[in-house]
Amino acid sequence: QITTVSGNEFLLQSDIDFLILDWFHAIKNAIDRLPKERSCTSRNLEFKLRRSSSIELLNSLDTESKEPKPEHRKSLIFRLNYSASDTNDRSRVKSRLKKFISRRPSLKTLQEKGIIKDQIFGSHLHLVCEHEKSTVPQFVRLCIKAVEKRGLDVDGIYRVSGNLATIQKLRFVVNQEEKLNLDDSQWEDIHVVTGALKMFFRELPEPLFPYCFFEQFVEAIKIQDNATRIKSIRSLVKKLPKPNYDTMKILFEHLKKIAAKESVNLMSTQSLGIVFGPTLLRPEKETGNMAVHMLYQNQIVELMLSEYSKIFGSEED
């Protein structure tokens, strides 16, 4: 968001960090080239970035910064100080910005040219599946295959965090639809793969367990009789949309294999419930006691792992 000295406001928005930096430097350089007169009152231009990932990149700039307020920790304000010699200088900056903004192609045009592609991370599950003509995202399958190939025996698998910068790099590659080879040396750390998989599920606009099912699953896990509880959970799972059901089935089958190696990787069904509970299901709006919700979230995942065959098996089973 750019606020000029005359009070005009412009919003430049992008999900691409290096593009935001280019804009920032272009505007800063344009201001720095303006004639400076000490007698003129110092003005400022605010450049606000709302993306937390951009903050890390911009922290390295040699620019006067202002720490974000507690209630806006994902917002950072950079002030570029300059002196405007007269109205003409201000008008020139305003004119340049207007031309810059007017020349920006539309989102539709960028998508048609293939510059901006449909994202994998942050998209609805059913849209990803429709795009890939499948019911389980290819990225989920690739991650599971990689973990089962070289991560089942790794201590703390899914609990230990991978390098965040490398995870973000993997996220970028996936979103750009570049050919992904998780056997490549740059993804050698299996915790990067597990971290990216958890991030994929965490960034779904609607969790793997759809919002409309959250309270129903919570009520089911509260049932005291174990057989009735399992039957209720099974019934709810069968009602899930096809992409949710198929993705959930392959994920829980995978996590069951992780738990089977508990003696080596130290990841029990309870540990996996703690890791995946809040990631896979959550209420649309937080109400009541969050700690109680988290307890139920963990218990639901734990039960579904412990009773996988009864919940995901066929009716005959």
Side-chain angles (χ1 to χ4, degrees), residues 264-280:
V264 181
N265 59 38
L266 305 181
M267 292 300 290
S268 62
T269 55
Q270 183 179 18
S271 300
L272 291 168
I274 293 171
V275 170
F276 279 93
T279 299
L280 300 181

Side-chain angles (χ1 to χ4, degrees), residues 148-181:
E148 292 185 357
K149 180 180 178 181
R150 50 192 173 94
L152 292 179
D153 296 335
V154 175
D155 184 3
I157 191 71
Y158 283 112
R159 187 187 70 243
V160 176
S161 300
N163 181 274
L164 182 57
T166 310
I167 292 173
Q168 290 287 6
K169 182 180 179 181
L170 177 55
R171 178 182 185 272
F172 178 80
V173 169
V174 173
N175 274 341
Q176 292 301 305
E177 293 188 6
E178 296 180 21
K179 188 175 181 180
L180 181 62
N181 177 17

Side-chain angles (χ1 to χ4, degrees), residues 182-226:
L182 290 179
D183 289 329
D184 191 288
S185 60
Q186 62 183 324
W187 321 124
E188 180 180 6
D189 182 4
I190 198 62
H191 296 304
V192 166
V193 177
T194 57
L197 182 60
K198 288 188 294 183
M199 180 180 286
F200 170 81
F201 285 112
R202 194 163 53 245
E203 291 192 0
L204 288 174
E206 185 170 33
L208 187 60
F209 289 71
Y211 288 131
C212 60
F213 282 84
F214 180 79
E215 291 298 335
Q216 297 176 67
F217 273 99
V218 169
E219 290 304 314
I221 201 67
K222 291 179 181 179
I223 298 173
Q224 295 299 312
D225 180 69
N226 189 54

Side-chain angles (χ1 to χ4, degrees), residues 50-87:
R50 298 295 178 188
R51 286 170 49 78
S52 58
S53 58
S54 300
I55 292 175
E56 298 174 5
L57 292 171
L58 290 167
N59 274 340
S60 61
L61 290 175
D62 248 343
T63 311
E64 179 186 352
S65 63
K66 178 180 177 182
E67 290 297 324
K69 297 178 181 179
E71 64 271 22
H72 294 102
R73 295 190 182 280
K74 290 187 177 180
S75 174
L76 197 60
I77 297 178
F78 288 87
R79 297 186 180 278
L80 307 180
N81 295 323
Y82 69 97
S83 296
S85 57
D86 52 32
T87 305

Side-chain angles (χ1 to χ4, degrees), residues 8-67:
N8 293 295
E9 293 187 354
F10 301 89
L11 178 64
L12 310 181
Q13 186 172 340
S14 174
D15 287 333
I16 305 173
D17 294 322
F18 70 81
L19 187 57
I20 295 175
L21 277 174
D22 285 345
W23 293 346
F24 180 85
H25 286 302
I27 295 168
K28 181 178 185 297
N29 291 338
I31 293 171
D32 290 340
R33 287 197 298 270
L34 293 174
K36 296 180 180 179
E37 294 182 11
R38 292 184 181 179
S39 59
C40 293
T41 305
S42 177
R43 305 284 186 175
N44 67 64
L45 178 148
E46 294 185 350
F47 191 85
K48 302 181 181 179
L49 297 107
R50 298 295 178 188
R51 286 170 49 78
S52 58
S53 58
S54 300
I55 292 175
E56 298 174 5
L57 292 171
L58 290 167
N59 274 340
S60 61
L61 290 175
D62 248 343
T63 311
E64 179 186 352
S65 63
K66 178 180 177 182
E67 290 297 324

